Each structure stands twice: as C-alpha cells, then as structure tokens.
Amino acid sequence: MPQLSCHSPFGALTISEDEGQIVALDWGWGRDQEETPLLLKARDLLERYFDGESVDFDTLPYRPYGTPYRQKVWDALRRIPYGKTRTYADIAAEVGGSARSVGGAVGANPIPILIPCHRVVGRSGLGGYSGLGGVADKHALLHLEGSR
C-alpha cells in the first residue's frame, strides 16, 4: 500500500492509498515512502490547507473502510463546508442514529482532516478528537479555518 508522509503543524502525517483511493491519514512518519500522483496531490492540498488556504479535499477519491452506517456519517462530514461546524445531533438527524452513535463513527474516521471530523462539535463544547493531540488539535484545526 503506497504511503507518503508530510510535515504539519501537528507533527508528521502519513497518507495511505489503496487501488487509487485514499484509505487512511495517520499521525507519525511512515516507514515506506512512495510518491504516487494521488499521494502527491493529497500532500499538496494538505500543505496549502495548513498554510491557511481554503482547499477542496473533495477533489480526492476516498475509500475509508467501515460499516455502512459509518460510511453514511463520513459522507455527511464531507458535506460540512470549510469554516463551518455541525453538532453530533445535526449529523444524527441527517443520517439516522443518535448523537452518541455519530460520535462513535466520527471517532473511527480513518481519514481525519481530509474527511473533516474536526468540524463536528458537541452542543455545549468541542467534543473529542481522535488526533494525536486530542481536543487541542481539533481546536487548532477549527481556528485555522476561522470557525472557533
């Protein structure tokens, strides 16, 4: 599985591709590095994003592995515009389930940042975040986008 790492304000990130689609984004530097056209495009978009540009990550093809319900939640996350947030309850109203089940799916997102799980917040606070720095990373990403 081709992987490519890049530097970010949150430390090293590694993007993984399988059969021409992005399948994961992980914190840390990957052992093997392979510069495919897709991974180079994803890295370029991430670098521009971290430089403060509003980029369209939907130009990348994704195939996150997960249950059909999680897939519905992740699709809903992709529709949250840059600089905007939705609550867990908002997403539950859109795709079904409860705020708690949405939280479980959001926390299991294998492609954070690119599939913007950081844009989902609680009614009375930020909620959690699966990134290495936890809620501090979520806050920084929202601040980068000008939403909090």
Side-chain angles (χ1 to χ4, degrees):
M1 178 178 311
Q3 294 183 319
L4 187 62
S5 299
C6 64
H7 297 284
S8 84
F10 308 99
L13 299 175
T14 298
I15 313 152
S16 300
E17 170 186 344
D18 189 28
E19 297 182 4
Q21 295 181 305
I22 303 292
V23 295
L25 186 146
D26 298 295
W27 271 251
W29 199 266
R31 183 184 64 145
D32 299 319
Q33 302 290 303
E34 185 175 338
E35 293 184 345
T36 69
L38 176 59
L39 293 176
L40 288 169
K41 180 178 180 180
R43 182 183 69 185
D44 177 61
L45 287 173
L46 280 169
E47 289 173 350
R48 290 176 37 215
Y49 173 78
F50 291 129
D51 284 340
E53 292 183 40
S54 173
V55 297
D56 184 5
F57 289 129
D58 271 347
T59 61
L60 299 170
Y62 300 103
R63 186 176 38 171
Y65 299 114
T67 66
Y69 178 74
R70 287 180 173 179
Q71 297 285 340
K72 285 173 48 176
V73 171
W74 299 333
D75 286 342
L77 301 183
R78 291 176 62 190
R79 291 189 293 274
I80 303 171
Y82 178 94
K84 304 292 182 187
T85 60
R86 301 288 183 270
T87 66
Y88 296 96
D90 292 338
I91 302 297
E94 181 180 339
V95 303
S98 66
R100 181 169 292 204
S101 65
V102 167
V106 168
N109 175 13
I111 313 173
I113 304 172
L114 300 175
I115 296 179
C117 52
H118 61 278
R119 295 180 187 155
V120 182
V121 298
R123 286 184 197 251
S124 59
L126 287 181
Y129 191 64
S130 62
L132 188 62
V135 176
D137 285 356
K138 183 175 190 171
H139 178 74
L141 288 165
L142 293 173
H143 181 73
L144 176 73
E145 294 183 13
S147 61
R148 292 232 172 199

